[in-house]
Amino acid sequence: MTATRAAGVPVVEDGALVSTNPATGEEVGRFPVADADDVARAVARARDAAQWWVGLGHAGRKARLLRWRALLAQRVEEVAALVSREGGKPVAEAIVETAAAIDHIDWAARNAKRVLGPRRVRGRLTLAEFSAHLEYQPMGVVGVIGPWNYPVVTPLGSVAYALAAGNTVVLKPSEYTPAVGQWLADTFAEIVPEQPVFQVVQGMGEVGAALCHAGVDKVAFTGSTATGKKVMATCAETLTPVLIEAGGKDALIVDDDADIAAAAEACVWGALTNAGQTCLAIERVYAVAPVYDAFVDEVVRRASALKVGYGEGYDIGPITMPKQIDVIRRHIDDALTRGGRAVLGGREAVEPPYVRPTILVDVPEESAAVREETFGPTLTITKVADLDEAVRLTNATSYGLGAAVFGKRRAVAAARRLRTGMASVNSVITFIGMSSLPFGGVGDSGFGRTHGDDGLREFSRAKAITTRRGPSALKSTTFERTPAQVARITKAIKMFYGRPRR
């Protein structure tokens, strides 16, 4: 049975998921759609493979992950071209994305043993006869549900850390970017052909739901807040733990001592890269009054120079999900209807499958363009009286993924006050590429962390072990204790804890 095709819209034809270029309609690939039984079998294979993967130890896994990293680095142009064909983003942006993913594989492989390996920890007074040890053990099989907007770096932010921690992985790529997900698993299989350590299951949303039901030991999801809630509800039925990286409405604060040219350059890239289809995109700016006009002028000048189209020489590609264009159009219309002004772009900027850069000012805070995730190449810039007002408005949404502050004297202090999981000072979105730092948000942006030490522990179970070293000086863990021994415990507690000390 053949379904009607529209450029960029995934369809199922004769049991195969068909992926097409959102700009040209070119077919990029077709992949067998998994049903619930197929997903269950993939998870069963992954569970069998887990014993072998764990048995390699940290050194064995590290060696294989570093070989995979090298293969991806050697073939970076290949995967970047595929990302561009399937999602529409410029090849240069796809290379930057892949470079960040490669760095994450490297960091996870090199640091897993340090973060997760067995260690002795300090004991406590009442159990002085015991030594204490801590280690982190693999969870088993991790299900990863990936997004379409960054189909390399985002899923690998979970996949690489889960693999380094000793888990096997089943990835359900977005139905908009199945070819990229398959390419990642296929290249891993070139390095690790012995066992199905990293597999892919293809299909629409019901395949993701089947993965949640398939008995995996954890689900890592990246996508919209609404879908994240559905994933949580599904996983709650089996008490399957989840990591949720959901939407964002990131803001940029420009203080009165900021470098305006640098702030505008960063803002334009942070707002418009990947056509604004970034959970970390700068969608709001709060600029203090003394620098507001100069900042707006500089942003408009830089954004006006960007070229929109598909192929070589263009800065901004098509909107990958055609239905997102309706959301972008609604946000622009709502902002203008409420009294906002378009100093660049506007209603006429929406020309499917493209949306040209749109900069909006004087937009009320209650408008959709300020309150809801737009996921398009639009930006609101608001004049504020001072830094305190900028921080207050930045924190006024339900989202809390990332944010940025440009300034000198007070920028770091302001960044600490933001209700976000991440913040950058005098840059934007840099935390995504910093492998040593945890990545994740608060509020409607989700919970849990990928990347860094926390990202490795996210896919592990803490295992605590106590070992008796000798006889008990303070017999606290027995019914055989005597009144004299209880008195000795009381005396020790008062002696060591009964007065304030540093």
Side-chain angles (χ1 to χ4, degrees), residues 8-19:
V9 178
V11 297
V12 175
E13 293 182 355
D14 301 321
L17 176 63
V18 181
S19 174

Side-chain angles (χ1 to χ4, degrees), residues 155-168:
L156 289 191
S158 294
V159 171
Y161 290 79
L163 291 172
N167 304 280
T168 54

Side-chain angles (χ1 to χ4, degrees), residues 6-36:
V9 178
V11 297
V12 175
E13 293 182 355
D14 301 321
L17 176 63
V18 181
S19 174
T20 56
N21 183 300
T24 67
E26 167 207 6
E27 183 175 311
V28 180
R30 52 180 62 213
F31 308 89
V33 173
D35 61 20

